């Protein structure tokens, strides 16, 4: 994986997010990456309530000195069924591991997220913008419904979510982002949009160790120190949930694929999502019997060089201190 690119044309990037500890890392990674130009952040319900994810997004951008990036708030809940719980036990009740970041001088963009997204897509050439949803897919499903002509212009959707062979992390069947809005996930994954699914198959083996965290804490300036502090809670949750010493920064891996396309080896698969109310709700059913030739197939990430991906993240976060 290239550590620095000879960047001529930066990829216009939108991150749709529910910060969220690993969401915060993903945003910081994108801002440290010359291959992409983060033009918009849209927020969604998910790990914590929408008002909190929106405030957190503003604060993370401010931490990186980029409060110029607009933040537009999106869906406050899933399309159909309200969520029984959120993920405050993993991310801290305010979503950033109990760390309070300084408030941003910026205000939230007055436009709803789907309007901001549609305007951005219509202002770019078709096929050029990468949208990286790293939370529930509610905003993307709404964009498809309200502004289909804008949605069709998306170059890539690089989604952190789902699981092909690893089961779930929020239930035995479902990964959190799929479970948090299964109807939206099903709509997007069967839409024919150019979706890459970065699921638990590739994120769980990709562990950011405590040594890696220490590297950017000590050399990444204020941003590196703050990112390390925010991760503390996640380290504890990962030890309890998976028995690992380190953290699985799911969303940062999806951003790595958005920043350096081809980082992950993908296979075209047909994917549907369980939308019944019951044990299989939010399960991503990935048809691994054959490579799909359907227009609606999803590029499912199946193979990752975890050491290279972690090194990419650590070195980019460390670069904040340069
Ligand atoms: C996903 O769920 C959230 O808690 C994380 O931010 C990530 O997007 C992992 O299942
Ligand atoms: Ca997330």
């Amino acid at each position: 994986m290239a550590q620095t690119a000879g960047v001529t044309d930066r990829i216009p990037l939108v991150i749709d997010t529910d910060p969220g500890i690993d969401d915060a890392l993903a945003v910081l990674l994108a801002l440290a990456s010359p291959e992409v130009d983060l033009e918009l952040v849209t927020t969604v319900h998910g790990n914590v309530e929408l008002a909190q994810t929106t405030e957190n997004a503003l604060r993370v951008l401010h931490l990186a000195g980029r409060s110029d990036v607009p933040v537009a708030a999106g869906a406050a809940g899933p399309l159909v069924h309200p969520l029984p719980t959120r993920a405050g036990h993993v991310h801290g009740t305010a979503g950033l591991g109990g760390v309070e970041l300084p408030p941003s001088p910026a205000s939230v963009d007055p436009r709803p997220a789907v309007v901001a997204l549609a305007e951005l897509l219509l202002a770019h050439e078709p096929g050029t913008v990468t949208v990286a949803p790293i939370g529930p897919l509610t905003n993307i499903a709404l964009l498809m419904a309200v502004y289909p002509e804008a949605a069709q212009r998306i170059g890539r959707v690089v989604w952190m979510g789902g699981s092909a062979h690893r089961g779930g992390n929020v239930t035995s069947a479902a990964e959190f982002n799929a479970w948090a809005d299964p109807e939206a996930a099903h709509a997007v994954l069967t839409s024919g949009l150019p979706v890459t699914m970065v699921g638990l198959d590739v994120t769980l083996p990709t562990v950011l160790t405590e040594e890696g965290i220490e590297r950017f804490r000590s050399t990444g300036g204020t941003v590196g120190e703050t990112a390390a502090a925010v991760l503390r809670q996640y380290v504890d949750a990962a030890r309890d949930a998976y028995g690992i010493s380190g953290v699985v920064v799911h969303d940062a891996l999806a951003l790595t694929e958005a920043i350096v396309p081809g980082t992950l080896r993908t296979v075209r698969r047909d994917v549907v999502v369980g939308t019944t109310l019951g044990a299989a709700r939010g399960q991503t059913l990935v048809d691994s019997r054959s490579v799909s030739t359907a227009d609606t197939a999803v590029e499912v990430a199946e193979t990752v060089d975890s050491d290279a991906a972690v090194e990419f993240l650590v070195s980019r976060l460390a670069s904040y201190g340069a």
Side-chain angles (χ1 to χ4, degrees), residues 17-19 43-46 48-59 71 73-77 86 93-94 108:
T17 178
D18 60 334
T43 57
V44 65
H45 72 95
V48 287
E49 302 289 338
L50 178 70
Q52 190 71 59
T53 63
T54 304
E55 181 61 29
N56 290 348
L58 287 165
R59 290 183 184 217
V71 174
R86 295 198 180 273
T93 47
V108 68

Side-chain angles (χ1 to χ4, degrees), residues 18 20 22-23 47 87 90-91 134-135 160 169 175-177 200 234 250-251:
D18 60 334
D22 57 331
D23 300 76
N47 289 315
V90 177
H91 296 264
I134 52 177
M160 190 284 127
N169 60 356
E175 180 282 327
F176 179 82
N177 291 337
L200 299 181
Y234 223 33
H250 307 273
D251 294 341

Side-chain angles (χ1 to χ4, degrees), residues 232-249:
R232 204 58 259 163
Q233 162 121 8
Y234 223 33
V235 172
D236 296 341
R239 191 183 308 109
D240 295 348
Y242 308 117
I244 55 174
S245 168
V247 280
V248 177
V249 280

Side-chain angles (χ1 to χ4, degrees), residues 21-22 90 203-214 216 228 230-250 310 313-314:
I21 293 171
D22 57 331
V90 177
T203 64
L204 287 181
T206 307
V207 177
L208 170 58
T209 61
E210 301 217 38
E211 293 74 50
I213 297 172
E214 176 53 27
F216 61 72
V230 166
L231 280 166
R232 204 58 259 163
Q233 162 121 8
Y234 223 33
V235 172
D236 296 341
R239 191 183 308 109
D240 295 348
Y242 308 117
I244 55 174
S245 168
V247 280
V248 177
V249 280
H250 307 273
V310 169
L313 172 64
V314 169

